[in-house]
Amino acid sequence: LKVSFSNLYRDFLENEGTLGGSQHEGAVSEIVWPFLKECNQNDEEWSNACKLLSFLVVNQEGRSSARNFDNMEKLRQVLTSLFYDSDSEDNPETIQFCSILLESKAPREVVLSLITDVNLLHWIPKRRLELELKKSASLRRSFSQAKSKPKINWTNEWINSLLQYFEGEKVSIQELNEEESTENSRSVLEYLHRSLELLIDLLSAFDSRQFLVLYLNSINFTVRCQFSLNATSFQRQHLLQQLLLRVYRLIDFPVGCFDRSPRSKSEIISNYHSRATIFQKLCHRYYLDDTEEVVYAGVGLLCNGSFLPRALGGLPDSKLTDLLHRLRLLDKNGCKNERDYQMAILLHYLTPPPYPLDRLRNFPVYPSERVLFDRSLIPPGTLLRRIPPLATSKLQIQFLSYLDYLLRNFELVRLESAYEIRCDLVDVIKRLKPVVRQAIKEESNEVFLKTDFTGWARMALEIDEPLRIVRVTPPKLGENIPARVIGEFTVDLVHCGDSIREEWDGLGEFDTLFLVSIDANKMTNAPAPSLKELERSFNVKINDDCDGQIPDNEDDTFPERFGITAIRGCMVLTIRDENGNSIKDSIPDETQDKEGNGGTKRTFTVELDSAQFAYDSKAKNGTGIYQSLNLVVRRHGKENNFRAVLESIRGLMEGSGSINRVIPSWLQPIILGYGDPKSATYSSSAIRSYALKTPGVAKPNAYLDFGDTFLDKNHVIESFPGNQVVIENEDKAIKSLKSDRHNYKVRFLGNEITASICTFPSNIKGNPVRFTPIQVEAIKSGLSLGLTLVVGPPGTGKSDVAVQIIANLYHSFPNQRTVIITHSNAALNDLFQKILARGDIEERYFIRLGSGERDLDVDSAHNFSRVGRVSHSLERRSTLLNKVQELSESMGISKKEERGADGSSSYTCESAKYFYDYHVKRTVEKFMDITKFSKGMDKVENFPFSAFFHLEEGNDGNTMTLNDAQEKLKCIDDIFFELEEYRPLELLKSQRQRTDYLLMKQAKIVAMTCTHAAIARSRLIKMGFQYDNIVMEEAGQMTEVEAFIPLLLQRGEMDVAVSRLKRICFIGDHNQLPPVIKNLTFARFSNLDRSLFARLIDFGVPYIQLDRQGRTRSEIAELYRWRYNNLGDLHHVVNSAEYSVCNAGFVHTHQFINIDDHNGKGETSPTSYYYQNLGEAEFAVALFQFMLMIGYPSSKISILTTYNGQKELITDVLNQRCGKDTPYGGLVPKSVSTVDQYQGQQNDYIILSLVRTLSAGYLRDIRRCIVAMSRARLGLYVLGRQSLFESCHEWKIVMELFSKIPSKLEIVLGEHFPGERGSNEEIPDKKFEISDLFHLVAIVNNMQSQWTSETESSMQ
């Protein structure tokens, strides 16, 4: 490659992180990396190319660029060059480059081999190294394999460089503390921030921390940093202090460096007590006269940091140095002789650090104003061009322990929810428009200033009577915060309309509210700071599409500008009206006036955050802050689930030891990112060994019940290509079975597969899908013990596979319970409906938890909630008891007169059991004795239940065989068997008891969303809920913790050696949209948008990718097929008539239509992040009108866009152009939605508006592109700015495919829906090119006028 990298590098620096003055996406994969792979280190351009690579990755392409590094040896050479190049010394880009590489598995191994391998031990002081080697045999083995000590070690140089900065040897501390920073100070701070960020990353995983922790402790890194910063006081460097605090905590994290076992609090304290004992022995032996008080003190006292400085006051400095030397905490040669410094080393050695769980217990769940508007905790979400340094946890591939895993998730969920809360509160407060007004006190006629609200907000009310604390429950034993804090406040709904009043009255127990104190007298009324100030604060450039002032929801000065003095969260307990009656218990009366008998005032009883209350009570103003709260804000229910998630995480941490008993042993190292990633799959030797040793688990060579997975014998053979398939007892089985359809059980012995034919039930439809071999492999894995990951590209039948796995588990393991988890209610309802449509799983074994069951579209008299299931069970019980009554009467045991007054049965479940045992069973036994040797029955009278089944002479009863009789006897047995399940309902009288019984004892399939799993977990644990299998759909859209909590909905029993959980099946697609994270900085920096599903795949866990799509035309599927390996089409996509005919009126089945500026405007943004494009909106609606005019059903068309602002604009244009008063009569598309909201849905024809014309924005995310391109079945018409997306590297392949088709819309006049012309036929002469929007509108108007004229003529 003939490229001058010195010039490119210089150009990059001069243009502030861009190439040629504009962002050049793909420079790494297209220019720099190919050059580095081809040249050697002696090339004169090598050094500049290496530096340019690191700068590009850091400033433009981020962690996604790590996929380009396909030559690890060459990457090692690049890193070596960057580490030891004199020009790269103290270079923050090199440091951040390493941090980015740590995110990917193969590059990570290269980085770690260079900076944290065993050779780092050579740089530990000799006497300290001897001590560590004596303590650990594994360390001795590792050190024996180390190379000889090199002349230089980059890690050693890097850490010492950091310490030199902190100790003031490289830069003036005063310069870093100055309010007006210089270019040099900003550069130094950037280096320090990035270095500490890398250090945190290295300390956060076992494979990188084991030698590093020893090294840092040996040079007293923590003490030297603390001592230096305390002496110099970095008062203005809050971020630096937060990063260092995180480093300290990770160095001391309670986990073993070599055995990876977590340490309990008692183990940590015991270890420090052992240190104190050694310290006492040394003092007794060598310094008894000077340390007598220390020698005879308790070890607990020695581990108290306040005791030692006083007790060692008489110990001379020289002896203190000698003591530390004997403890091997420092060497006499070259050590600092400052007493305070040496005392700090001793205190750090003997004083246990705070246990992480203790800190968390005192942590408020609800964010206060300090957290909400702290820029160092919650950075701007979308403004920054690249990721700034943050003192925030990351969700990496590996974790230290479950405690570490939960701590990181707790912090990130808390901060992300705080960001969302801040956005909502800012929006509400701006709408309310607080002002200062004069008021007069009634009792004294004094004039005072008060806060008044001149605006209006649907989600907020002014507090009418101030909050009063009504009860503070004392702390529980061993805690120091109140157990509960209860308060009350009153609001007046007199100014609210009926709908808003219903919304406030509809708030229920456990809903979350936020109370805000606004003092308008303290408002500065200043404008928001400029974005330039944000650039200086983070030392990071702002995105190109951002200009002007900081948006209010990103502004940390918003509280000062709007007079916010306090924000407190609370949980609703009850709401009462003016008469003291609970709103939930009151019965509305239609004759009441607007105010109603209960008045318009509502008194809310709420539970406040105990930890926050304890903190407030110690503050300067005490709890008086609660009386100043004058505004209550509510949020939508789905947005307020953060509290349940946080409390679930906290509850898991409290019992983190039980996680090891709940999660199977074969899954635990995989979750934490260690061990062999293949070890949890069903085919691994570890799982096979586990199955052989574990009782109650199917053995590896046992038959798997595939049920109705296969449609016929050929389907069985086709499903296992390359294997020898034997159909067992085929001839004998077919003769004895009535149906042409069969069930199959299959056994796998290497390449030999044996399929055994079983009876197919006659009363069910069965599976209609002819599964592909890969789908069958996914079903097989889901039925087998272990972890299953199924990647389902668009249209490949993910939900069909999930349904088949669930049905087969139900039939194969009737005594096991399966839990279904999805991300959305829509997906859960879709699964539910498909399972019920099969007809082979009895309704009584289903329960749907959560509120989404109201949207279920199923043929059932009752819903599938717990209450609905109770109603269904009671109704079913009555039906069966009536059958028992009829049976008893037909046998002459009972008479009709014994029925109830309403004709109901006289039996209960209990008496029915007695009737069965003493009458039915005996009758059946006599009948079987008579017919034991009979091959048939000549007379129907021989069957004792003929009257019950209404069998008469002359009907089929005369030819009844023994098999027919046995089927009818089974029907009778089934009645009594089912009644036995309902018997406890007669004993349990309360609704709660009955619902709990059905959930705990009867339900075999329990379904819920991941959010409801977090909400319900504590109650399920208390009830003793248990399950054996879990199937998660939409796993790629769940955050880490949303997918983790459902694995822990049962208690780990102390007396049970193995976990009850046997099968875990994740189904999703990590190539489509990830979990929704509103703060993109958290998503990019902390990997918060990476699902557990995606992390397991990144870790290397084997997955099954479905390889045949059946949704989209083959030519449209090319737009996303390239993203997947070997994605083909199902037979019907290639051969069916629906896919082989054209789209009537269109030349092409898909097209990218270039939309120029409309009236001189492209994209517009009336407010921040609210993008619209009027030209595209008008074109989309005109195209929709054109399709309606030629006969397309509106239900087959959906209009999608990439921004909510555009969705609302399109809706407005539709209302104007296609309203009820227009010739279109109010016809609208089936859906007008955003791409993100439409994931998981499809329609025949999609019109897609991309909106952006200046920059691609978040459309650069290729996963969003994949979703957008895969929603259409038959026609896709994309509206956008062609030049913009052709220059976008992420869209390169898609735009190359679109470029084969003209960018002007081409239509065919005279055709009508449905199309008759073949998609590959010659286009008729009526082909027409649309030049622009006005041209299309003119054609549509002409067609509309012609249609109107024809309609009027026909009416005349």
Side-chain angles (χ1 to χ4, degrees):
L1 295 172
K2 301 299 183 181
V3 178
S4 173
F5 284 97
S6 58
N7 292 336
L8 274 177
Y9 181 53
R10 183 172 61 254
D11 180 57
F12 183 85
L13 296 179
E14 289 174 355
N15 288 284
E16 298 181 329
T18 59
L19 284 176
S22 64
Q23 291 189 349
H24 192 297
E25 301 88 0
V28 169
S29 59
E30 296 174 5
I31 301 174
V32 186
W33 182 243
F35 170 80
L36 289 170
K37 287 198 297 183
E38 294 298 327
C39 75
N40 57 56
Q41 294 174 268
N42 297 324
D43 193 294
E44 60 182 6
E45 293 284 5
W46 171 268
S47 178
N48 286 323
C50 290
K51 286 185 285 187
L52 182 59
L53 178 72
S54 67
F55 271 69
L56 282 171
V57 170
V58 167
N59 288 281
Q60 287 187 196
E61 302 198 17
R63 70 188 187 206
S64 62
S65 60
R67 298 174 182 171
N68 298 316
F69 302 135
D70 51 0
N71 186 327
M72 293 302 110
E73 183 55 37
K74 189 61 68 173
L75 182 61
R76 179 187 297 274
Q77 294 173 11
V78 169
L79 286 171
T80 303
S81 178
L82 289 172
F83 287 163
Y84 298 107
D85 187 339
S86 59
D87 293 339
S88 299
E89 184 180 357
D90 297 350
N91 188 338
E93 274 74 20
T94 300
I95 301 295
Q96 193 178 1
F97 183 49
C98 291
S99 290
I100 291 172
L101 293 179
L102 290 175
E103 297 291 335
S104 300
K105 191 174 182 181
R108 176 187 179 85
E109 293 174 358
V110 175
V111 173
L112 298 187
S113 68
L114 291 173
I115 62 178
T116 62
D117 68 345
V118 68
N119 291 303
L120 187 59
L121 297 178
H122 286 301
W123 303 94
I124 295 178
K126 185 177 179 180
R127 297 181 71 255
R128 182 63 175 264
L129 179 60
E130 291 174 355
L131 177 63
E132 298 296 344
L133 291 173
K134 286 181 180 179
K135 292 194 297 185
S136 172
S138 61
L139 183 62
R140 291 196 297 273
R141 287 192 296 270
S142 298
F143 189 66
S144 65
Q145 300 171 3
K147 300 176 183 177
S148 59
K149 184 175 181 179
K151 294 181 179 179
I152 187 172
N153 179 279
W154 181 82
T155 308
N156 182 60
E157 297 296 318
W158 167 52
I159 297 296
N160 279 295
S161 174
L162 268 180
L163 290 171
Q164 288 170 10
Y165 277 113
F166 291 136
E167 294 171 350
E169 297 180 17
K170 282 196 171 187
V171 69
S172 168
I173 300 301
Q174 286 73 20
E175 182 180 351
L176 297 181
N177 264 328
E178 290 177 0
E179 185 172 0
E180 293 296 329
S181 60
T182 64
E183 184 66 30
N184 181 58
S185 66
R186 286 198 297 270
S187 176
V188 170
L189 285 173
E190 172 80 359
Y191 173 73
L192 294 178
H193 291 156
R194 296 300 183 185
S195 292
L196 291 175
E197 181 185 325
L198 175 59
L199 191 56
I200 289 169
D201 290 342
L202 295 172
L203 290 169
S204 298
F206 271 118
D207 57 0
S208 54
R209 78 178 259 122
Q210 52 182 345
F211 303 123
L212 184 59
V213 168
L214 294 178
Y215 171 75
L216 293 176
N217 283 331
S218 72
I219 63 172
N220 299 305
F221 179 85
T222 300
V223 177
R224 290 172 69 178
C225 291
Q226 290 176 334
F227 190 76
S228 299
L229 293 183
N230 289 337
T232 55
S233 183
F234 278 71
Q235 298 172 355
R236 300 186 184 278
Q237 303 307 326
H238 182 60
L239 176 59
L240 195 66
Q241 294 173 352
Q242 291 294 320
L243 287 167
L244 279 168
L245 181 60
R246 192 170 290 277
V247 170
Y248 304 155
R249 289 174 176 172
L250 282 169
I251 291 175
D252 294 327
F253 195 83
V255 68
C257 277
F258 299 102
D259 60 3
R260 297 180 180 175
S261 60
R263 302 287 193 261
S264 65
K265 183 178 180 179
S266 59
E267 289 175 321
I268 295 294
I269 292 176
S270 176
N271 181 46
Y272 276 85
H273 285 179
S274 299
R275 292 184 181 183
T277 301
I278 295 172
F279 172 66
Q280 282 182 312
K281 290 179 178 178
L282 287 174
C283 289
H284 181 271
R285 179 177 296 180
Y286 299 106
Y287 319 105
L288 181 59
D289 294 339
D290 299 313
T291 60
E292 188 172 353
E293 185 177 0
V294 170
V295 169
Y296 297 111
V299 289
L301 191 58
L302 291 178
C303 294
N304 185 333
S306 61
F307 172 75
L308 274 181
R310 177 181 58 80
L312 293 177
L315 185 68
D317 292 353
S318 60
K319 291 186 177 181
L320 179 59
T321 303
D322 185 62
L323 175 59
L324 294 181
H325 178 74
R326 293 181 183 277
L327 286 169
R328 307 195 190 200
L329 298 179
L330 52 77
D331 286 334
K332 289 183 180 180
N333 299 327
C335 70
K336 292 184 180 179
N337 292 323
E338 299 177 31
R339 183 180 182 88
D340 290 344
Y341 169 71
Q342 294 184 0
M343 185 58 70
I345 292 176
L346 184 60
L347 289 174
H348 180 262
Y349 176 71
L350 293 176
T351 306
Y355 199 68
L357 204 52
D358 292 339
R359 294 198 313 270
L360 193 70
R361 288 194 183 103
N362 299 327
F363 221 64
V365 172
Y366 304 105
S368 67
E369 72 285 354
R370 292 187 178 184
V371 173
L372 289 172
F373 295 97
D374 187 339
R375 188 181 290 171
S376 67
L377 291 177
I378 307 176
T382 57
L383 300 176
L384 304 179
R385 182 183 298 173
R386 66 184 177 96
I387 304 173
L390 297 173
T392 307
S393 295
K394 290 182 182 179
L395 301 180
Q396 299 170 310
I397 291 179
Q398 297 180 353
F399 298 87
L400 300 177
S401 65
Y402 284 119
L403 178 60
D404 176 45
Y405 178 85
L406 294 169
L407 279 170
R408 295 194 216 179
N409 277 283
F410 182 91
E411 178 187 358
L412 290 172
V413 171
R414 178 175 175 267
L415 293 178
E416 165 65 11
S417 60
Y419 177 77
E420 297 175 14
I421 292 165
R422 183 177 75 185
C423 293
D424 290 344
L425 291 178
V426 166
D427 178 66
V428 165
I429 293 168
K430 285 172 60 182
R431 291 175 184 273
L432 288 171
K433 301 176 183 177
V435 296
V436 178
R437 287 197 175 156
Q438 289 186 344
I440 300 176
K441 294 182 180 179
E442 294 182 1
E443 60 276 9
S444 61
N445 291 328
E446 293 182 13
V447 177
F448 69 99
L449 298 178
K450 64 170 288 190
T451 299
D452 202 0
F453 299 99
T454 60
W456 175 84
R458 187 184 194 94
M459 307 301 287
L461 288 174
E462 188 174 1
I463 293 178
D464 191 58
E465 296 179 14
L467 177 75
R468 54 194 179 277
I469 305 299
V470 298
R471 186 168 73 253
V472 179
T473 306
K476 296 179 181 178
L477 188 64
E479 298 182 358
N480 53 11
I481 62 173
R484 294 187 82 187
V485 179
I486 309 298
E488 287 185 351
F489 64 89
T490 301
V491 298
D492 198 338
L493 305 178
V494 67
H495 299 298
C496 297
D498 292 341
S499 61
I500 298 179
R501 184 179 302 183
E502 289 176 4
E503 290 174 7
W504 283 96
D505 285 345
L507 292 173
E509 188 179 11
F510 308 127
D511 281 340
T512 297
L513 299 174
F514 285 91
L515 308 177
V516 184
S517 174
I518 297 180
D519 187 350
N521 195 37
K522 295 181 180 180
M523 291 172 58
T524 63
N525 291 316
S530 70
L531 288 170
K532 293 296 182 184
E533 190 277 330
L534 196 65
E535 280 191 349
R536 290 192 297 270
S537 174
F538 282 100
N539 197 25
V540 173
K541 292 295 179 183
I542 299 298
N543 282 326
D544 294 337
D545 54 353
C546 300
D547 56 9
Q549 296 176 317
I550 300 175
D552 288 326
N553 62 339
E554 306 280 16
D555 179 21
D556 59 344
T557 67
F558 186 85
E560 291 79 25
R561 292 169 50 216
F562 281 80
I564 299 174
T565 59
I567 298 175
R568 298 291 180 266
C570 62
M571 181 181 72
V572 175
L573 297 179
T574 60
I575 306 175
R576 304 191 307 277
D577 60 20
E578 293 182 26
N579 298 325
N581 299 320
S582 172
I583 295 298
K584 290 296 182 184
D585 297 335
S586 62
I587 301 175
D589 186 352
E590 295 181 359
T591 63
Q592 293 178 2
D593 57 18
K594 181 178 179 180
E595 285 73 20
N597 294 334
T600 60
K601 290 189 176 183
R602 300 289 183 265
T603 299
F604 286 76
T605 302
V606 296
E607 182 174 349
L608 299 165
D609 193 314
S610 298
Q612 184 66 53
F613 184 83
Y615 177 82
D616 290 334
S617 63
K618 299 174 184 176
K620 181 179 179 181
N621 296 327
T623 57
I625 194 172
Y626 290 91
Q627 281 70 54
S628 69
L629 299 168
N630 56 355
L631 187 69
V632 56
V633 181
R634 61 187 172 91
R635 302 174 72 224
H636 295 294
K638 292 182 179 179
E639 298 168 347
N640 263 337
N641 292 323
F642 74 95
R643 179 177 54 82
V645 176
L646 291 176
E647 289 181 347
S648 290
I649 299 174
R650 182 180 279 176
L652 285 171
M653 282 189 282
E654 293 282 357
S656 57
S658 66
I659 294 178
N660 295 319
R661 299 191 296 272
V662 178
I663 295 182
S665 58
W666 42 264
L667 184 63
Q668 292 178 25
I670 306 297
I671 292 289
L672 296 178
Y674 298 102
D676 180 4
K678 299 178 181 179
S679 62
T681 57
Y682 77 92
S683 58
S684 70
S685 58
I687 288 292
R688 296 175 69 86
S689 175
Y690 180 89
L692 289 171
K693 297 177 182 177
T694 306
V697 175
K699 304 310 174 189
N701 295 331
Y703 279 91
L704 284 178
D705 188 352
F706 277 81
D708 59 359
T709 302
F710 307 107
L711 302 186
D712 50 49
K713 168 188 164 183
N714 291 333
H715 189 196
V716 179
I717 297 173
E718 294 166 3
S719 297
F720 305 103
N723 295 280
Q724 181 182 352
V725 180
V726 177
I727 307 299
E728 195 173 54
N729 300 324
E730 180 181 2
D731 296 335
K732 180 179 178 181
I734 290 177
K735 289 179 181 178
S736 63
L737 299 177
K738 296 180 180 180
S739 174
D740 294 334
R741 182 83 181 268
H742 313 300
N743 285 351
Y744 291 88
K745 291 184 178 181
V746 184
R747 182 174 61 185
F748 300 87
L749 296 174
N751 292 331
E752 183 179 329
I753 298 174
T754 304
S756 177
I757 295 178
C758 305
T759 305
F760 183 85
S762 58
N763 58 338
I764 67 168
K765 300 177 183 178
N767 159 53
V769 180
R770 194 173 191 88
F771 290 111
T772 66
I774 293 297
Q775 288 177 319
V776 171
E777 172 64 18
I779 294 168
K780 172 188 173 184
S781 181
L783 286 173
S784 304
L785 180 71
L787 173 66
T788 298
L789 300 184
V790 180
V791 175
T796 52
K798 294 187 293 292
S799 59
D800 290 331
V801 170
V803 167
Q804 193 64 37
I805 290 173
I806 293 163
N808 288 354
L809 287 173
Y810 169 83
H811 293 295
S812 301
F813 309 100
N815 295 323
Q816 295 184 9
R817 177 177 291 136
T818 299
V819 170
I820 306 173
I821 302 289
T822 65
H823 180 260
S824 65
N825 279 307
L828 190 60
N829 290 341
D830 180 54
L831 274 181
F832 228 74
Q833 287 161 202
K834 287 184 176 181
I835 295 171
L836 288 170
R838 291 172 52 90
D840 60 337
I841 301 179
E842 295 185 55
E843 209 179 290
R844 69 182 188 272
Y845 293 131
F846 282 99
I847 282 188
R848 164 76 159 83
L849 301 183
S851 58
E853 80 281 342
R854 64 174 68 95
D855 299 322
L856 268 173
D857 183 17
V858 293
D859 185 17
S860 177
H862 302 279
N863 63 45
F864 284 83
S865 66
R866 288 187 290 176
V867 174
R869 291 300 85 197
V870 170
S871 300
H872 171 268
S873 297
L874 293 176
E875 183 178 292
R876 182 70 179 155
R877 168 186 170 275
S878 298
T879 300
L880 294 176
L881 288 177
N882 281 331
K883 290 186 177 182
V884 171
Q885 184 75 30
E886 292 175 9
L887 178 61
S888 178
E889 291 170 1
S890 69
M891 295 175 65
I893 306 300
S894 301
K895 298 180 179 179
K896 290 186 177 181
E897 291 77 10
E898 297 179 14
R899 290 176 177 261
D902 57 352
S904 60
S905 172
S906 62
Y907 282 92
T908 65
C909 292
E910 183 178 7
S911 58
K913 176 72 165 98
Y914 296 141
F915 167 63
Y916 177 74
D917 288 340
Y918 289 103
H919 296 284
V920 178
K921 283 180 70 175
R922 292 179 179 179
T923 302
V924 170
E925 289 171 358
K926 290 179 182 179
F927 170 72
M928 296 305 295
D929 287 340
I930 295 173
T931 60
K932 185 182 299 183
F933 304 104
S934 174
K935 295 182 180 180
M937 297 174 58
D938 297 331
K939 294 183 179 180
V940 71
E941 286 82 5
N942 292 342
F943 186 61
F945 305 110
S946 298
F948 176 69
F949 286 103
H950 307 291
L951 301 177
E952 300 175 1
E953 290 285 351
N955 293 337
D956 292 341
N958 287 326
T959 59
M960 179 183 287
T961 65
L962 185 58
N963 287 337
D964 293 332
Q966 287 175 337
E967 286 183 7
K968 288 180 169 51
L969 293 177
K970 185 178 183 303
C971 291
I972 294 175
D973 288 341
D974 289 344
I975 292 172
F976 291 96
F977 177 80
E978 187 174 344
L979 274 174
E980 190 65 19
E981 292 185 354
Y982 301 138
R983 186 173 177 181
L985 298 181
E986 296 178 344
L987 303 175
L988 303 171
K989 299 303 180 183
S990 74
Q991 189 79 327
R992 171 62 65 87
Q993 290 175 329
R994 288 174 170 177
T995 57
D996 289 351
Y997 166 76
L998 292 183
L999 177 62
M1000 296 296 300
K1001 300 297 183 182
Q1002 190 179 85
K1004 300 293 178 62
I1005 297 176
V1006 179
M1008 68 190 91
T1009 62
C1010 55
T1011 301
H1012 187 80
I1015 295 171
R1017 179 184 176 273
S1018 60
R1019 173 160 172 75
L1020 292 175
I1021 293 291
K1022 290 178 182 177
M1023 291 167 56
F1025 181 72
Q1026 291 183 321
Y1027 56 104
D1028 306 87
N1029 315 299
I1030 186 165
V1031 177
M1032 289 196 199
E1033 244 274 50
E1034 298 185 312
Q1037 295 178 257
M1038 301 178 194
T1039 62
E1040 276 270 358
V1041 77
E1042 285 176 337
F1044 183 68
I1045 289 176
L1047 301 178
L1048 297 154
L1049 300 180
Q1050 57 188 340
R1051 184 184 292 112
E1053 303 295 342
M1054 294 291 293
D1055 56 345
V1056 178
V1058 296
S1059 167
R1060 177 163 178 158
L1061 200 55
K1062 301 171 182 65
R1063 299 167 193 84
I1064 300 169
C1065 183
F1066 291 152
I1067 303 174
D1069 185 2
H1070 60 301
N1071 291 309
Q1072 296 189 58
L1073 285 173
V1076 177
I1077 304 299
K1078 292 188 176 180
N1079 190 307
L1080 297 184
T1081 304
F1082 284 144
R1084 294 159 60 199
F1085 178 85
S1086 301
N1087 301 319
L1088 191 54
D1089 67 340
R1090 180 168 62 185
S1091 62
L1092 175 60
F1093 179 75
R1095 181 169 68 85
L1096 293 176
I1097 290 175
D1098 290 344
F1099 178 55
V1101 175
Y1103 61 89
I1104 300 166
Q1105 181 190 297
L1106 307 183
D1107 63 347
R1108 293 290 181 271
Q1109 70 89 20
R1111 172 190 297 170
T1112 307
R1113 287 185 190 268
S1114 185
E1115 60 269 28
I1116 299 178
E1118 294 296 328
L1119 296 171
Y1120 60 86
R1121 197 192 308 274
W1122 58 272
R1123 187 69 175 171
Y1124 302 92
N1125 295 324
N1126 304 317
L1127 179 60
D1129 299 320
L1130 288 173
H1131 179 78
H1132 72 271
V1133 173
V1134 179
N1135 299 307
S1136 69
E1138 183 181 28
Y1139 290 93
S1140 59
V1141 299
C1142 70
N1143 293 340
F1146 292 94
V1147 175
H1148 308 285
T1149 57
H1150 65 289
Q1151 199 171 1
F1152 189 102
I1153 304 165
N1154 182 55
I1155 306 296
D1156 294 322
D1157 287 352
H1158 178 64
N1159 295 331
K1161 290 184 179 180
E1163 70 175 59
T1164 58
S1165 181
T1167 59
S1168 299
Y1169 322 124
Y1170 191 83
Y1171 292 100
Q1172 294 181 330
N1173 188 317
L1174 181 58
E1176 290 185 16
E1178 291 281 9
F1179 201 103
V1181 174
L1183 186 56
F1184 170 68
Q1185 291 175 311
F1186 171 75
M1187 296 177 74
L1188 290 181
M1189 295 304 300
I1190 61 177
Y1192 282 86
S1194 61
S1195 61
K1196 291 182 177 292
I1197 307 169
S1198 292
I1199 301 180
L1200 303 185
T1201 182
T1202 49
Y1203 289 90
N1204 279 310
Q1206 183 75 347
K1207 182 183 78 169
E1208 295 183 11
L1209 179 60
I1210 291 172
T1211 303
D1212 290 342
V1213 175
L1214 277 169
N1215 291 335
Q1216 294 175 15
R1217 305 281 188 268
C1218 305
K1220 292 183 178 180
D1221 298 330
T1222 68
Y1224 300 97
L1227 285 176
V1228 295
K1230 180 179 181 180
S1231 178
V1232 178
S1233 180
T1234 63
V1235 171
D1236 293 37
Q1237 294 166 348
Y1238 208 69
Q1239 179 165 335
Q1241 302 177 60
Q1242 65 183 41
N1243 207 347
D1244 287 359
Y1245 305 96
I1246 297 293
I1247 301 171
L1248 171 64
S1249 169
L1250 297 179
V1251 185
R1252 303 303 296 270
T1253 59
L1254 300 177
S1255 67
Y1258 80 159
L1259 298 184
R1260 294 183 188 280
D1261 191 336
I1262 193 61
R1263 296 171 295 187
R1264 185 165 283 104
C1265 173
I1266 297 299
V1267 174
M1269 296 301 113
S1270 60
R1271 298 306 97 196
R1273 293 183 63 247
L1274 304 175
L1276 173 64
Y1277 302 95
V1278 182
L1279 315 179
R1281 185 62 54 87
Q1282 186 178 16
S1283 58
L1284 172 65
F1285 289 96
E1286 282 180 341
S1287 65
C1288 180
H1289 174 69
E1290 289 80 2
W1291 282 66
K1292 180 180 178 182
I1293 298 177
V1294 173
M1295 294 308 294
E1296 285 177 352
L1297 292 168
F1298 272 125
S1299 67
K1300 300 174 183 178
I1301 302 171
S1303 61
K1304 296 291 185 182
L1305 175 63
E1306 294 185 330
I1307 63 174
V1308 180
L1309 296 179
E1311 289 188 340
H1312 291 275
F1313 180 89
E1316 297 178 356
R1317 169 174 50 89
S1319 57
N1320 295 322
E1321 287 184 20
E1322 191 71 24
I1323 306 297
D1325 296 336
K1326 294 184 178 181
K1327 171 182 172 183
F1328 211 77
E1329 181 180 275
I1330 304 299
S1331 58
D1332 56 22
L1333 169 62
F1334 299 106
H1335 192 182
L1336 178 61
V1337 170
I1339 290 175
V1340 169
N1341 289 339
N1342 183 49
M1343 297 173 70
Q1344 180 179 318
S1345 299
Q1346 183 178 352
W1347 177 84
T1348 302
S1349 299
E1350 292 174 355
T1351 304
E1352 291 175 351
S1353 300
S1354 64
M1355 292 177 65
Q1356 293 175 358

